[in-house]
Every structure is written in C-alpha cells, then in structure tokens.
Amino acid sequence: MKYYVRLTAFLVLCLVLINVFPAAATEITEVSNAKKATDYEKHIDIWGEDVPGNCSDNKLSRMNIDMGAQSTVAAEFSEAIAAEDIVEAERVIDTMTYFSEIKPGYESDKFDDRPYLIPYPADGRSVSLSKIPSKVEYFDNGHKRRIISINNISRNNVSTNNVSTNNVSTNSVSGDIVSDNKSVSVDESGTSAVIILSGGAYAYKSMDGSDFESKDIALALNKAGISAFVLHYRSNPYEYPYPWLDLQRAVRHLRFYAEDYGIDPDSISLIGCSAGANLAGVYTNMRGWRRSFPENCLRDEIDLVSDEIATLALIYPVTTFEYNSSMLFALFPADLVRDEYEREKLMWKVDFSNNFRSPEVPQFVCYGTEDRLVDCTGTEDYVYEAEDMGIDVEEYPLEGADHSFRSENYIEGYINWLNRKLN
C-alpha cells in the first residue's frame, strides 16, 4: 500500500512540474517570440550597466543538453533530483534548463541575463525610481574610495521605468488597498517588504510560466499590508556566487530606493521556496559569501548599502545537499561535483547546519512531513541545530504534505509570525 502512495505522490509531482514549466511538455515558440514572467512589464533591473558574471559567451557551449528529451525531461528531472546516483544528473539538469528557461526565452542563450525585481507595493503605487546611483572606485581591500562618475541604469531609465499597472487592486483610495472585499490600511511611514524567491532546483524558476511561488505569495502579502518583490535571479548555467550576489543586490536595491517603493528599509525580509529557500538560507546563514564580488567589476552607491535582512522564511527548503547532491551540478563546476572528495567538501561548505552567521535573524521553517523530493530529515535536523544555537526558529510542519504545496497552506501562519517579529 505504501508503494502505491509513493507512486501516486511521484506522479502528482510530475504533473506539478509539467504545469509549472509547460515548455517541457509542449511545443515551444522560438526565442524571437520569447515568453516573459508574469507581470514582466512591471519589472525593474537591479544592476547597472555592468552585471557581475555576465559576458558574451554562449551558454549552450558549456552545457550538456539532450535535444531530443523535450517530452520526457520533466519526469527525468524529478527522478534525478531525488536520486542518489548522480551520473546522469548533469545532462538532465542542463536539458531541463534549456527547455524550460532558455528556449522559451525566459533567459538568454548567452551569459547576458539581467536579474530583476517585479514589485507589488502594498499601497498599489506606481513606482518611479527617483535617483541614479553613482559609480564608486574601490581600494583592493574592497573599501570605498571615491565617487567617480554617474552610473546610468541600462534599460531601466529612472524617468521611464514606471510600474503604472502595478496595482494589486484597481479600487485603491487614500493609501488603502481594497481586494476581495477586505480593506488593509498602509502605514504612511513605510510598509514592511518581503523578497520572494521561487524554486526550481536552480535549473529553472517556477515564476517562469506560472504564478506559483511568486505572484500568489505577493498578492497574499499585499492583502496583509505588506509590500512584496519577486526576484528573478540567475540560475544554471550560472554558478555561485552569482545567484547569491543577485539576492544581495536586490536587498540593497530596496534599501536604496525604499522611499520610492514606500517601504521601511529596516523591515526587509526573505521568503524562499525549495531551491529559492536554499538561496535565501545561504544568503542569511553563510555571510562569508558577502566578499564574493568579482575583481575589476564596477560598483556603485547601491553596493555600499547595508545588505542586512529582518527575517527569513524557508518553505520546503533544501537545507543540505546530502539528500539532493545532484543539484550541485546547477551550482558548481561539473568536474568538482563528479569527484567524490570534492563533492563532499562542497556539500559540507553549503550545509546550513555548518553555517550560522546571522543568529539574530528570526526564521520561519515550513515543510511537509511526506516530502518525496527533498527529504524532510535534513530540514528537521536543521531546525534542531538552529534552536541549539539559540536562533529564534518557528517550526511549521504540515503533516502528510509532499513537496511544492500551495501558499494557502502556510501563508496565514507566516504572516502572523512575520507581524509578531516586526512589530
């Protein structure tokens, strides 16, 4: 009987994956008819002209893609992520990235992607960025030296980048948003803000092709008077530290433009799902990544702003790669991942329980007790270790739940917890 329950759960997961990235199961348009994430027209680039890690190289030349696997990649991907044998995982992950991200046009076929935020202000305001950050010259040790020039924000001109349609409700009056017959008053001094990180095992992002783990969370937060920002970070074949740097930049961007967004710069939180939770947890717990800025990369005033956050929420997170070691192919050089000794070193290095660098940040950890994709043992161990370190952790298990459950299963509990921690 247990076998059939597991088989049913696996089939349901496959259907979820296919629904999240239909590109893996249906015919895909050419890149010339590129698809965009939900509400992409509202997006705001977070980097300036120079995006660290970008170049003109072709991604496909560095990837191991099975061009004939479009119709089977979803099922193969879910198997590869949960499998102990990682031999074929690199090819499956790269194939997944190609058919779900690159070919439909959510990301480029070159290393020239521009990470962005999709803002959902709680008061429904139209966002217009009021200032242009200046470039900053640094000493070799990373300290600020002097401002040297004005940094134009490429393709994100502050005078034209208005989020004119970014209203969570078309019926907004005097700072109150009205949605589903519920009125929420917005504090004029600035709302709290949450950056949302979609999952996808770093091979794709669920926000591409659906509202899952993105807009659905944002609108629920808006109803509670909380501003939300969905981050489109770089993923496979980009490797660390670039996803981490994108998140760091997003936090600093919101602080720099807090007044324009109507948010409290000291009340910026993170919520991530699955791999997005891994990214959020790495960012919060492993503060050693903060000095991973590439050499000779131009920086600006935003890079001088604090990157601290107020709270962290992990939803069915990958807290350790012990049970999902194949995911490392989407984060690190394949040669290192294939080598057993090097792979063990990588897993130890990025294991949450080995890295508690921000014990002052309260954490909300939600997971399903019957997760077939990410073994919840790793999450339970992490909660135990965090509590042992004196970290303020709210454990929120969902009995019998599998991976990728909908936000309505936890959002009320999360919002209540968030309000308690910030007020």
Side-chain angles (χ1 to χ4, degrees), residues 167-242:
N167 294 321
V168 296
S169 168
T170 57
N171 187 19
S172 60
V173 182
S174 302
D176 289 349
I177 60 171
V178 183
S179 178
D180 293 344
N181 299 319
K182 180 184 289 187
S183 178
V184 179
S185 179
V186 178
D187 187 348
E188 293 182 358
S189 64
T191 70
S192 55
V194 176
I195 298 175
I196 302 167
L197 301 163
S198 301
Y202 290 103
Y204 72 99
K205 288 171 284 292
S206 57
M207 65 179 289
D208 293 332
S210 79
D211 293 342
F212 184 53
E213 299 177 343
S214 53
K215 185 177 180 178
D216 60 333
I217 301 174
L219 295 186
L221 292 172
N222 282 174
K223 290 179 183 179
I226 301 168
S227 293
F229 301 83
V230 177
L231 175 62
H232 198 272
Y233 56 92
R234 287 172 293 175
S235 50
N236 187 50
Y238 285 96
E239 297 170 347
Y240 262 96
Y242 299 116

Side-chain angles (χ1 to χ4, degrees), residues 7 18 71 177 205 233 243 258 275 347 350 354 384 389 397 407 416:
L7 178 60
I18 291 171
S71 62
I177 60 171
K205 288 171 284 292
Y233 56 92
M347 285 196 292
V350 297
N354 296 328
Y384 174 81
M389 291 289 293
S407 60
N416 290 337

Side-chain angles (χ1 to χ4, degrees), residues 9 14 74 161 165 168 170 183 212 250 269 290 296 336-337 357 413:
C14 288
N161 192 23
T165 60
V168 296
T170 57
S183 178
F212 184 53
S269 298
R290 70 166 67 215
N296 303 320
L336 294 181
V337 180
R357 301 291 188 269

Side-chain angles (χ1 to χ4, degrees), residues 48-74:
E49 296 175 356
D50 302 287
V51 183
N54 275 8
C55 63
S56 60
D57 291 357
N58 190 287
K59 291 178 181 176
L60 306 190
S61 65
R62 302 189 192 180
M63 298 174 71
N64 185 358
I65 302 169
D66 182 355
M67 292 296 184
Q70 179 173 335
S71 62
T72 61
V73 66

Side-chain angles (χ1 to χ4, degrees), residues 94-386:
D94 282 352
T95 301
M96 184 67 191
T97 297
Y98 175 73
F99 281 114
S100 60
E101 292 280 277
I102 297 175
K103 189 170 183 182
Y106 295 115
E107 292 185 346
S108 173
D109 60 356
K110 296 182 176 61
F111 287 92
D112 59 3
D113 296 305
R114 299 193 61 81
Y116 57 84
L117 285 168
I118 298 178
Y120 296 89
D123 59 4
R125 70 176 57 199
S126 296
V127 177
S128 181
L129 304 184
S130 61
K131 51 189 174 182
I132 300 174
S134 295
K135 290 181 182 178
V136 176
E137 186 177 8
Y138 283 74
F139 287 119
D140 290 340
N141 62 5
H143 294 303
K144 176 184 175 183
R145 185 176 184 182
R146 62 189 176 92
I147 294 175
I148 56 175
S149 65
I150 296 300
N151 186 18
N152 236 349
I153 301 180
S154 175
R155 289 188 291 169
N156 189 31
N157 190 290
V158 293
S159 63
T160 60
N161 192 23
N162 293 327
V163 191
S164 57
T165 60
N166 191 27
N167 294 321
V168 296
S169 168
T170 57
N171 187 19
S172 60
V173 182
S174 302
D176 289 349
I177 60 171
V178 183
S179 178
D180 293 344
N181 299 319
K182 180 184 289 187
S183 178
V184 179
S185 179
V186 178
D187 187 348
E188 293 182 358
S189 64
T191 70
S192 55
V194 176
I195 298 175
I196 302 167
L197 301 163
S198 301
Y202 290 103
Y204 72 99
K205 288 171 284 292
S206 57
M207 65 179 289
D208 293 332
S210 79
D211 293 342
F212 184 53
E213 299 177 343
S214 53
K215 185 177 180 178
D216 60 333
I217 301 174
L219 295 186
L221 292 172
N222 282 174
K223 290 179 183 179
I226 301 168
S227 293
F229 301 83
V230 177
L231 175 62
H232 198 272
Y233 56 92
R234 287 172 293 175
S235 50
N236 187 50
Y238 285 96
E239 297 170 347
Y240 262 96
Y242 299 116
W244 187 94
L245 288 175
D246 291 342
L247 178 51
Q248 181 188 57
R249 178 72 177 196
V251 173
R252 288 173 165 171
H253 171 93
L254 291 186
R255 281 182 175 272
F256 189 79
Y257 290 111
E259 185 174 350
D260 295 333
Y261 288 117
I263 64 173
D264 178 355
D266 294 320
S267 296
I268 298 173
S269 298
L270 305 180
I271 183 170
C273 300
S274 194
N278 178 267
L279 176 55
V282 167
Y283 178 87
T284 305
N285 291 327
M286 301 175 58
R287 304 304 286 171
W289 288 101
R290 70 166 67 215
R291 298 191 181 278
S292 298
F293 217 96
E295 293 182 8
N296 303 320
C297 187
L298 292 176
R299 308 192 204 181
D300 59 30
E301 291 177 289
I302 294 178
D303 296 314
L304 304 180
V305 176
S306 170
D307 61 358
E308 301 296 326
I309 60 167
T311 72
L312 169 69
L314 306 175
I315 312 300
Y316 40 88
V318 180
T319 62
T320 176
F321 290 101
E322 180 180 354
Y323 307 101
N324 302 94
S325 57
S326 60
M327 282 179 59
L328 294 170
F329 280 115
L331 292 170
F332 299 102
D335 290 345
L336 294 181
V337 180
R338 292 193 197 97
D339 185 288
E340 184 176 358
Y341 174 74
E342 295 295 336
R343 184 170 66 251
E344 290 294 327
K345 285 172 56 179
L346 290 174
M347 285 196 292
W348 187 91
K349 182 177 181 180
V350 297
D351 190 298
F352 285 10
S353 296
N354 296 328
N355 301 275
F356 289 110
R357 301 291 188 269
S358 301
E360 75 284 357
V361 177
Q363 300 189 17
F364 178 92
V365 183
C366 179
Y367 60 92
T369 61
E370 296 295 330
D371 195 322
R372 312 300 185 205
L373 192 65
V374 178
D375 194 319
C376 67
T377 302
T379 303
E380 293 169 339
D381 290 344
Y382 169 69
V383 171
Y384 174 81
E385 294 289 342

